[in-house]
């Protein structure tokens, strides 16, 4: 785990410092281009893979001090990845390989496609292909990262007992939790797309899981997470996107060990702020954007004393009660773009944190410069506001606005 993290940090450092000495791109493997750490064959109408025969000269040209090699094959017409397809690439001195194979028509990956990669670390991007099975080859690789979303997956045997750092998986072709996935250990982040069932009826081996993303599913009942999942004590971030029937209160049905600090529920048609949120007083970050919330009441965020950031954009909110944030003593960032508010919410003038970061949309302030600033002037410590964003015009630097615009308002 540490190895992976370190290595990601190294890449960005090296990209930043070595730009000056990069070789020019050179044509390689027929239609691809090669330079340090990079084989780029994107969008070349490839139907079969190049041979990837690496001469000593080319190996030198591809080498980087962090031993990373990115093989970009996305946006082609590849259908199968045959036996030994990438074996010739082991003639490079790379140790970390990123294979970008998204947006092809791949329906089959041979078990020996990565023969020779023992002891090397692979990240595999296979989004938007035609795989119906999780390729068996992955159970034999050191694979910290796998993205197989956007595939009509029906069989998942290859993921049984696999340990992986970050997994993106598509479940739109199944209606019950795939048995092999119950023994998949995900150390950091799990993405589930399109589960075709209303009830979560299984989960991964979750002891190490930190971050969970669930998108575009039919899920309603998630009580399994708090009632049945083996151990979710590390899980601190949940992101829901466009699960239109989600019942948030189902997460609180059992007093499990869920201890969520970052929660995002977007696109769930929520008519109001779920009252069950108050069962997570440790929330630091809350995103309820793109729902159907019309009002924020004094009760909605009561007791969320750790809350620092709130996103309520893209809701038809037309009122925010004056004491809506009275107990949110750490709240310092509120994003309320595209609401139905007609005037600047005075509840925000009562926030005690500073500096404040507010993001809102201009149209609710017909005379942005005067109306809003006059109200902002009532906030204690307004001058510590960094900037005020007025979306349809350039953002306003607060000190400048106060000094130059406000005096002309009367
Ligand atoms: C690897 O390179 C050799 C030499 O060009 C070639 O004969 C072989 O077919 C290549 N392997 C694959 C799987 O393309
Ligand atoms: C995940 O965690 C387990 C236990 O700490 C460890 O053995 C395994 O190597 C980790 N896997 C990855 C991909 O980081
Ligand atoms: C749950 O997992 C955490 C982190 O791995 C561990 O410290 C804790 O002992 C586990 N709890 C139970 C009840 O197994
Ligand atoms: C989950 O736990 C609940 C309550 O503890 C129990 O009634 C239910 O049968 C369990 N469901 C599954 C699928 O194990
Ligand atoms: C969960 O915990 C809360 C507070 O400790 C308690 O009021 C509630 O009755 C508990 N619910 C269940 C189902 O155990
Ligand atoms: C907002 O939510 C709806 C309903 O889930 C979804 O269809 C739409 O794509 C979302 N909009 C954005 C910008 O995410
Ligand atoms: C601003 O601060 C002053 C002095 O600390 C206090 O008397 C006043 O009530 C505060 N105003 C608001 C709107 O919080």
């Amino acid at each position: 785990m540490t190895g992976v993290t370190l290595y990601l940090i190294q890449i960005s450092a090296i990209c930043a410092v070595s730009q000056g000495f990069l070789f020019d791109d050179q044509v390689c493997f027929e239609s691809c281009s090669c330079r340090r750490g990079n084989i780029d064959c994107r969008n070349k109408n490839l139907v079969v893979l190049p041979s990837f025969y690496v001469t000593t000269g080319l190996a030198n040209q591809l080498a980087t001090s962090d031993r990373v090699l990115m093989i970009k094959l996305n946006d082609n017409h590849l259908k199968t990845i045959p036996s030994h397809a990438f074996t010739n690439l082991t003639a490079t001195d790379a140790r970390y390989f990123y294979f970008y194979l998204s947006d092809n028509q791949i329906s089959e990956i041979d078990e020996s496609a990565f023969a020779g990669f023992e002891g090397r670390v692979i990240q595999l991007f296979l989004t938007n292909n035609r795989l119906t099975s999780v390729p068996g080859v992955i159970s034999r690789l050191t694979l910290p990262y796998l993205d197989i979303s956007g595939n009509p997956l029906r069989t998942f045997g290859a993921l049984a007992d696999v340990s992986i750092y970050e997994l993106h998986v598509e479940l739109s072709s199944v209606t019950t939790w795939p048995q092999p996935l119950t023994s998949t250990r995900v150390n950091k982040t799990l993405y589930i797309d399109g589960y075709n069932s209303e009830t979560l009826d299984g989960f991964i081996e979750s002891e190490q899981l930190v971050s969970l993303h669930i998108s575009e599913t039919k899920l309603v009942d998630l009580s399994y997470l708090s009632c049945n999942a083996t151990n979710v004590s590390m899980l601190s971030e949940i992101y829901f996107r466009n699960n239109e029937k989600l019942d948030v209160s189902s997460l609180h049905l059992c007093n499990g060990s869920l201890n969520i600090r970052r929660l995002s529920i977007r696109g769930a048609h929520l008519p109001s702020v779920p009252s069950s949120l108050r069962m997570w007083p440790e929330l630091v970050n809350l995103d309820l954007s793109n729902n159907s919330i019309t009002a924020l009441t004094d009760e909605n965020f009561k007791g969320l004393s750790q809350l620092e950031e709130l996103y309520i954009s893209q809701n038809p909110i037309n009122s925010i009660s004056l004491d809506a944030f009275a107990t949110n003593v750490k709240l310092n960032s509120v994003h309320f773009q595209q609401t139905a508010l007609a005037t600047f919410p005075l509840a925000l003038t009562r926030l005690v944190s500073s500096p404040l970061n507010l993001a809102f949309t201009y149209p609710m302030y017909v005379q942005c410069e005067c109306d809003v600033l006059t109200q902002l002037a009532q906030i204690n410590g307004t001058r510590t506001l960094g900037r005020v964003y007025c979306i349809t015009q350039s953002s306003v630097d607060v000190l400048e606005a106060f000094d130059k615009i406000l005096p002309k308002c009367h």
Side-chain angles (χ1 to χ4, degrees):
M1 188 152 61
T2 318
V4 174
T5 315
L6 269 180
Y7 140 74
L8 290 171
I9 292 164
Q10 278 173 1
I11 299 180
S12 44
I14 282 162
C15 290
V17 297
S18 65
Q19 262 167 8
F21 342 111
L22 285 180
F23 291 103
D24 289 338
D25 288 12
Q26 289 198 4
V27 175
C28 55
F29 312 124
E30 294 164 34
S31 60
C32 308
S33 64
C34 287
R35 63 184 158 87
R36 280 189 182 207
N38 237 289
I39 299 174
D40 189 349
C41 315
R42 283 174 296 176
N43 206 1
K44 299 289 183 204
N45 292 315
L46 295 179
V47 178
V48 294
L49 286 167
S51 76
F52 290 123
Y53 175 64
V54 180
T55 60
T56 314
L58 188 53
N60 288 336
Q61 191 188 334
L62 290 168
T64 65
S65 55
D66 55 0
R67 303 184 67 188
V68 172
L69 185 56
M70 305 206 183
I71 302 97
K72 298 177 181 163
L73 288 155
N74 29 318
D75 298 298
N76 282 297
H77 309 294
L78 302 172
K79 291 185 170 57
T80 61
I81 306 295
S83 171
H84 292 74
F86 300 117
T87 305
N88 280 346
L89 289 172
T90 60
T92 64
D93 82 339
R95 187 167 133 68
Y96 303 97
F97 292 83
Y98 286 48
F99 286 96
Y100 295 92
L101 290 158
S102 301
D103 299 296
N104 278 283
Q105 296 146 30
I106 299 168
S107 59
E108 206 185 318
I109 298 182
D110 190 275
E111 296 265 339
S112 313
F114 295 92
F117 280 78
E118 297 77 16
R120 292 167 166 94
V121 180
I122 293 180
Q123 305 210 16
L124 203 46
F125 300 80
L126 284 161
T127 318
N128 299 336
N129 277 290
R130 297 184 183 165
L131 294 164
T132 54
S133 303
V134 178
V137 66
I138 68 134
S139 57
R140 284 193 253 114
L141 301 174
T142 305
L143 189 78
Y145 183 104
L146 175 65
D147 187 347
I148 39 173
S149 57
N151 284 279
L153 297 169
R154 290 176 185 283
T155 52
F156 298 81
L159 282 169
D161 297 315
V162 162
S163 183
I164 195 162
Y165 193 73
E166 179 167 331
L167 173 66
H168 298 235
V169 72
E170 169 94 29
L171 298 179
S172 58
S173 301
V174 298
T175 51
T176 57
W177 188 262
Q179 185 56 31
L181 278 181
T182 59
S183 65
T184 308
R185 280 181 301 279
V186 180
N187 287 18
K188 183 79 194 296
T189 308
L190 173 66
Y191 287 81
I192 296 171
D193 287 351
Y195 192 22
N196 193 10
S197 167
E198 296 205 335
T199 308
L200 188 67
D201 53 352
F203 202 57
I204 55 157
E205 178 62 52
S206 44
E207 197 165 298
Q208 313 250 329
L209 186 68
V210 174
S211 182
L212 174 63
H213 300 245
I214 298 184
S215 303
E216 313 273 352
T217 73
K218 296 199 168 74
L219 284 168
V220 179
D221 180 355
L222 291 166
S223 58
Y224 194 94
L225 264 185
S226 64
C227 300
N228 312 71
T230 44
N231 180 351
V232 283
S233 62
M234 301 282 278
L235 183 62
S236 63
E237 304 174 1
I238 306 186
Y239 302 85
F240 294 109
R241 191 172 52 79
N242 299 355
N243 303 282
E244 302 198 19
K245 295 192 272 178
L246 185 67
D247 172 13
V248 180
S249 67
S250 68
L251 280 167
H252 297 279
L253 215 63
C254 296
N255 282 347
S257 47
L258 280 178
N259 179 358
I260 303 302
R261 285 189 289 279
R262 197 177 270 266
L263 178 67
S264 172
I265 309 172
R266 288 181 174 241
H269 300 301
L270 298 176
S272 57
V273 177
S275 58
S276 55
L277 290 186
R278 278 184 279 147
M279 298 197 39
W280 283 332
E282 50 286 301
L283 277 177
V284 173
N285 222 282
L286 178 61
D287 181 358
L288 298 170
S289 304
N290 191 23
N291 282 293
S292 309
I293 301 168
T294 53
L296 301 184
T297 70
D298 287 350
E299 300 302 310
N300 286 159
F301 306 111
K302 204 171 187 172
L304 301 184
S305 59
Q306 303 302 308
L307 190 65
E308 292 175 15
E309 265 193 292
L310 178 65
Y311 293 78
I312 44 174
S313 298
Q314 293 172 276
N315 277 289
I317 296 172
N318 55 48
S319 78
I320 299 183
S321 71
L322 204 52
D323 286 323
F325 310 119
T327 61
N328 312 126
V329 293
K330 292 190 180 171
L331 186 59
N332 59 47
S333 185
V334 182
H335 299 248
F336 53 111
Q337 289 146 9
Q338 298 170 50
T339 67
L341 287 166
T343 57
F344 186 85
L346 289 173
L348 291 174
T349 67
R350 301 197 160 189
L351 292 180
V352 292
S353 286
S354 77
L356 282 176
N357 175 21
L358 307 177
F360 50 89
T361 314
Y362 174 61
M364 73 169 144
Y365 305 101
V366 180
Q367 299 150 305
C368 182
E369 286 91 345
C370 283
D371 283 15
V372 175
L373 291 175
T374 307
Q375 306 218 39
L376 284 177
Q378 298 164 16
I379 303 180
N380 270 353
T382 310
R383 282 174 177 269
T384 62
L385 280 167
R387 288 173 88 74
V388 175
Y389 301 96
C390 293
I391 295 305
T392 59
Q393 64 176 44
S394 54
S395 64
V396 180
D397 186 81
V398 166
L399 286 182
E400 187 186 314
F402 273 76
D403 294 344
K404 294 195 181 149
I405 305 173
L406 201 53
K408 297 182 196 151
C409 282
H410 302 289

